[in-house]
Amino acid sequence: MATGKRRFEDSLTGATSTACKKCHDNDDDEIFTSFPVKLIRQIAKHLETLCCESDYVFKTLKILNCNGADYNGGIPFAKAYCSVTPGTRTLYFGSVFVHGIKMLTAFLKNRQVPTDLPRKRLLRKLLFFLSDEGTHLLLKDLEKFHETELMMVLANHLYGKLTSSSKYMIDKNSTKETDHCPCNSESCRLSGQFADTGIGNEEVWHGNLDIIVDNDMVGLSYPSGNKEEILGGNEAKIRHVDLSRNQQIISQTIVFSFLQKQRHPDSNNFLFPCIGAAHEGMVVYFYDSQKDILLESSFIPFMSVEGKVNVHAILASWFAVNYKYLSSGIPCSKSHDDKSAFLSHVKEKLGIYEHNLKFGNLGVPVSFEDDESDLEVEQSDFLSETRWELLELGSMPDGHSEQYCLLDKEM
């Protein structure tokens, strides 16, 4: 497999890359006939590893406890608490992308091109991306970017390049608005725009996603809870961010799934993703708000052990950001308890998740004040008597409180 990866990366240079760039510039379908057989064979190997082997899987997660329905009010994503444990089911990565695997395999085997325009466009995007060395080599040098810069670069040079639309939204509160990509290329401009990326409801989990890819289809997040910047000289080193079982991303994934179901009730399935990304790689989370199933993928590094761009990361990104066309939903199970138990943990506020989530225009978090008229407190004779004594002391004239003043002086 290592040799195959090396040959594949080597084949991306030279005449092949130049020819495919020319195809891309012409913006026609020549890529489907001119795509080299050598690359087809190598992609087939990587696709088999990503989708059909145990190196990359989805695991179900079960929620033990969470603050998604906190009585005291809504919780921002950065402070979300969600204790989880592995569920009983493990799926191959390709299990939820059957439609996409069939489409890509048909092309790799017989150069069969989808007849409908959206899927045809997605396939063309993937082939151009894999064929153009300059398009994805930027993934080799992600460590130099700070948090916000990283998300913008990934959206502009990876996720946005693989979707049917290159448009995306950047959290307008994250950084100063600009049309220039942080990749340091003077001619590179952002294909996305700064906007309100807030999702949720002030009474439950809520907050802003770093990036929303393809306008409203996929959430992209760099979790804030486990990172720390260390300033030294002119550089800032960022410690490793743990994407596995990340509470912030889990809460964002669940809210995003409920929101998407609310906005797209006619979807074929309700398995919606949120991608957690860091400098080293990515994790894909899925939540199905109808079946109450939460999935977490294996960690997918952006670089291979040979120091090459990891093609598995490119393929996984293509599947995830285009889930609308490539996902087949969660395969049926007769013997496993797949449910995450989120619905039972938030049953008192489930109606908010199902019907009252917002996309943008989130206000100040709501906190619920106690209604003293309905509040029942256990009576205590001791506290009742002491309370009146304290009230009397508090209202006593200054002359009668001299002894207490002396006590204060002694203390």
Side-chain angles (χ1 to χ4, degrees):
M1 182 60 67
T3 303
K5 290 181 181 178
R6 190 175 297 109
R7 289 176 180 173
F8 173 76
E9 297 297 341
D10 293 342
S11 67
L12 294 180
T13 60
T16 299
S17 178
T18 303
C20 290
K21 277 187 178 181
K22 184 176 180 180
C23 297
H24 190 213
D25 293 338
N26 293 336
D27 195 25
D28 57 27
D29 292 343
E30 185 182 345
I31 186 72
F32 296 126
T33 56
S34 64
F35 198 74
V37 174
K38 183 188 296 184
L39 296 187
I40 287 178
R41 292 172 180 169
Q42 298 304 326
I43 292 173
K45 293 179 181 179
H46 287 283
L47 181 65
E48 187 273 335
T49 302
L50 173 68
C51 294
C52 309
E53 293 187 8
S54 58
D55 292 344
Y56 298 101
V57 297
F58 279 109
K59 292 186 177 180
T60 56
L61 295 179
K62 196 173 190 66
I63 297 175
L64 302 177
N65 196 6
C66 73
N67 59 1
D70 194 281
Y71 174 77
N72 294 317
I75 304 293
F77 291 134
K79 295 183 179 180
Y81 171 74
C82 192
S83 176
V84 298
T85 186
T88 58
R89 194 176 182 191
T90 301
L91 306 171
Y92 288 120
F93 188 90
S95 298
V96 299
F97 296 110
V98 174
H99 299 331
I101 294 174
K102 287 181 177 179
M103 183 184 81
L104 186 53
T105 301
F107 173 79
L108 297 176
K109 186 177 181 180
N110 301 313
R111 290 189 185 268
Q112 181 178 330
V113 179
T115 55
D116 62 300
L117 291 180
R119 289 174 177 78
K120 181 179 181 180
R121 186 180 298 115
L122 297 181
L123 179 58
R124 185 193 297 116
K125 287 258 191 171
L126 176 65
L127 299 181
F128 278 136
F129 192 95
L130 289 171
S131 303
D132 188 349
E133 182 185 42
T135 304
H136 54 83
L137 285 183
L138 191 65
L139 298 177
K140 282 188 171 185
D141 200 18
L142 294 177
E143 289 295 333
K144 67 180 181 181
F145 300 112
H146 299 309
E147 171 188 331
T148 304
E149 294 175 338
L150 173 69
M151 303 311 290
M152 293 166 66
V153 168
L154 287 175
N156 213 43
H157 290 272
L158 177 61
Y159 303 115
K161 293 285 187 182
L162 296 172
T163 60
S164 57
S165 170
S166 60
K167 302 299 181 183
Y168 54 88
M169 292 183 289
I170 308 167
D171 178 14
K172 66 180 181 180
N173 300 313
S174 62
T175 187
K176 183 178 179 181
E177 294 190 19
T178 177
D179 63 351
H180 189 72
C181 180
C183 70
N184 295 329
S185 173
E186 294 183 1
S187 60
C188 186
R189 294 290 181 268
L190 295 173
S191 62
Q193 61 183 351
F194 289 84
D196 184 352
T197 61
I199 63 171
N201 186 294
E202 298 90 341
E203 298 182 21
V204 292
W205 279 337
H206 63 276
N208 289 65
L209 295 173
D210 292 321
I211 304 282
I212 297 181
V213 184
D214 200 5
N215 285 336
D216 73 336
M217 297 311 297
V218 181
L220 184 61
S221 176
Y222 185 104
S224 58
N226 297 322
K227 70 176 184 297
E228 180 178 350
E229 292 191 2
I230 305 174
L231 299 178
N234 297 322
E235 297 182 356
K237 297 181 180 180
I238 301 180
R239 293 180 178 177
H240 174 71
V241 174
D242 189 1
L243 299 177
S244 177
R245 302 187 199 177
N246 188 281
Q247 300 175 95
Q248 179 179 331
I249 308 176
I250 289 174
S251 63
Q252 291 173 331
T253 303
I254 291 174
V255 171
F256 196 67
S257 177
F258 274 106
L259 177 65
Q260 292 294 67
K261 181 183 177 183
Q262 183 177 305
R263 301 180 73 212
H264 307 286
D266 297 327
S267 298
N268 293 328
N269 64 78
F270 298 103
L271 189 67
F272 297 105
C274 188
I275 301 173
H279 294 81
E280 301 87 359
M282 56 184 275
V283 170
V284 181
Y285 286 85
F286 273 101
Y287 181 68
D288 187 322
S289 59
Q290 179 169 287
K291 297 181 179 180
D292 189 25
I293 297 178
L294 177 63
L295 300 177
E296 178 192 56
S297 79
S298 305
F299 178 77
I300 306 171
F302 289 132
M303 301 298 298
S304 67
V305 293
E306 297 88 0
K308 303 288 187 178
V309 176
N310 187 6
V311 181
H312 296 130
I314 296 174
L315 292 173
S317 299
W318 180 71
F319 280 118
V321 297
N322 298 306
Y323 74 93
K324 178 181 178 181
Y325 301 101
L326 307 181
S327 174
S328 51
I330 299 174
C332 296
S333 172
K334 297 181 180 180
S335 58
H336 296 277
D337 180 15
D338 300 334
K339 295 187 181 300
S340 72
F342 177 76
L343 301 184
S344 61
H345 284 294
V346 299
K347 55 185 177 181
E348 294 182 357
K349 293 187 177 182
L350 183 57
I352 298 176
Y353 284 100
E354 291 184 330
H355 307 294
N356 296 315
L357 295 183
K358 306 175 185 178
F359 189 177
N361 298 318
L362 292 175
V364 178
V366 172
S367 60
F368 296 93
E369 297 182 358
D370 292 337
D371 186 349
E372 294 184 358
S373 62
D374 296 329
L375 189 63
E376 295 184 1
V377 181
E378 182 177 337
Q379 294 295 323
S380 168
D381 292 338
F382 168 76
L383 290 179
S384 296
E385 294 175 0
T386 304
R387 180 192 178 203
W388 287 111
E389 291 179 0
L390 294 174
L391 287 173
E392 288 179 359
L393 287 173
S395 60
M396 188 177 298
D398 292 343
H400 291 77
S401 60
E402 183 177 354
Q403 59 179 321
Y404 300 103
C405 293
L406 292 174
L407 288 174
D408 290 341
K409 291 179 181 179
E410 292 177 0
M411 294 177 65

